[in-house]
Amino acid sequence: MDDQLLLALSLSAWGDIGLLVTAGAALVALVYAAIEVRISRTHARLKRVYDYADRFNRPKTLAAGAKYRDYWENHSAEDWENLPRAKRLELMMLPNLIEEVAFLYNRRLLDRAVAAELLGVYVEDLWSASSRQIQELRMRRNRPGLFSEWEEMQSDAPRRQLAGARASKRRRARSLLARGE
């Protein structure tokens, strides 16, 4: 009887069935494409973090961080403004890089958990070394937004680092439990 039913379908009914199958295939393709886009964006956010981590770990950048920290421990914003332009630009290379990272971090264009774990130490360390002078520069130049992205990331990173450490401990505990240890 099923064979007779199939043979009895009109050409219009077969067209409707074909349309339904095509619509279903299109829906599956759309869902797959959305998943691919999400995976691609997640991968890109993670790759950016690792690229920045590589930049922060270069000897030149580490030396710039030490030089920057040493300078701000012994000088004021007024001293900085009296430096030759080339020296000021050299000192500000690292804070500008951190501001760039923080901009991406605050707009969720980086994997925030990984960024906080890998880059949070640099962000916090350099902020603690220069926050007073940055506040002074903001006032002297009447630019309240100067390094505001950095400040925002700096306030968020410790919370994310703590969450990451807790998650790591939970994964390790589950792993040990699964192995029966």
Side-chain angles (χ1 to χ4, degrees), residues 18 23 32 46 62 72 77 82-83 109 121 123 146 152:
Y32 179 77
L46 195 56
L62 293 171
W72 286 117
N82 292 328
L83 286 174
L109 297 172
V121 172
V123 170
L146 185 68
E152 184 179 335

Side-chain angles (χ1 to χ4, degrees), residues 164-178:
R166 287 179 182 153
S168 178
K169 285 180 185 178
R170 283 194 302 271
R171 282 191 302 271
R172 177 147 171 75
R174 274 190 236 124
S175 172
L176 292 173
L177 189 62

